[in-house]
Amino acid sequence: MSTLEEHIDIGAPLDKAWDALHQVESYPKFVDGVREAHLEGRRTHLDLEAGGRSRELELEISDRSKEKVLTWQTTTGPDLAGTVSLLPIDREHTRVQARFEYDPGTIKDDFGGPKGFAQAAAIERGLRSDLQQFKELMEHKR
């Protein structure tokens, strides 16, 4: 498994950012490739397009509310996992830390795209873009 970690500081209070992470229907606004997202019982269903292919994935999301850590794991499709941790900077600012775990071969087989370093760079750009879009969404909701 490969692991990618990124973070961004946003101009939004911790509780507001935490609530936004739990609004699954808003994922298409800040997660590249997600066309639709909704809850089905305790699982999150994602309709996405990646590498020119349409895919449906289901995720199981759990969280540790006291620590403000959201953890997700795919339950269908490729084996992917991640965490999003929120850390208070001050009353109006929050650090969002994202960790993405993936098998490079699985990403290539299931989503297409480049191999090796080019793939890692593309995933890194995607995660940075998602964090930037989350920041913009949170800062414009004020």
Side-chain angles (χ1 to χ4, degrees):
M1 285 290 242
S2 292
T3 302
L4 177 62
E5 294 182 3
E6 291 289 332
H7 75 273
I8 195 166
D9 296 340
I10 64 173
L14 179 78
D15 289 336
K16 184 177 176 182
W18 183 248
D19 290 343
L21 285 177
H22 290 84
Q23 295 173 10
V24 172
E25 292 78 16
S26 70
Y27 285 9
K29 294 179 183 177
F30 66 89
V31 180
D32 284 336
V34 174
R35 296 185 302 205
E36 183 181 338
H38 60 274
L39 289 173
E40 291 182 357
R42 297 190 65 196
R43 298 189 187 236
T44 300
H45 179 83
L46 302 178
D47 177 18
L48 53 96
E49 186 166 325
R53 298 179 183 177
S54 293
R55 290 288 312 227
E56 291 187 17
L57 295 178
E58 285 195 9
L59 311 174
E60 188 169 293
I61 296 177
S62 60
D63 57 52
R64 299 188 312 264
S65 296
K66 288 183 181 181
E67 295 91 21
K68 301 296 190 235
V69 176
L70 180 142
T71 303
W72 61 270
Q73 171 75 46
T74 54
T75 58
T76 62
D79 186 22
L80 306 170
T83 59
V84 179
S85 303
L86 303 181
L87 303 165
I89 295 171
D90 59 32
R91 291 183 64 199
E92 295 298 321
H93 297 89
T94 303
R95 174 163 288 168
V96 180
Q97 294 181 179
R99 179 183 175 106
F100 180 56
E101 297 175 17
Y102 64 98
D103 174 24
T106 298
I107 295 289
K108 172 71 174 140
D109 293 344
D110 283 283
F111 297 106
K115 289 184 179 180
F117 181 75
Q119 178 187 64
I123 292 170
E124 184 176 327
R125 278 191 310 275
L127 185 55
R128 283 185 184 153
S129 173
D130 293 348
L131 289 172
Q132 184 62 41
Q133 290 178 84
F134 184 71
K135 174 184 174 84
E136 291 169 10
L137 178 68
M138 293 306 303
E139 291 178 354
H140 288 109
K141 274 188 162 183
R142 299 187 113 203

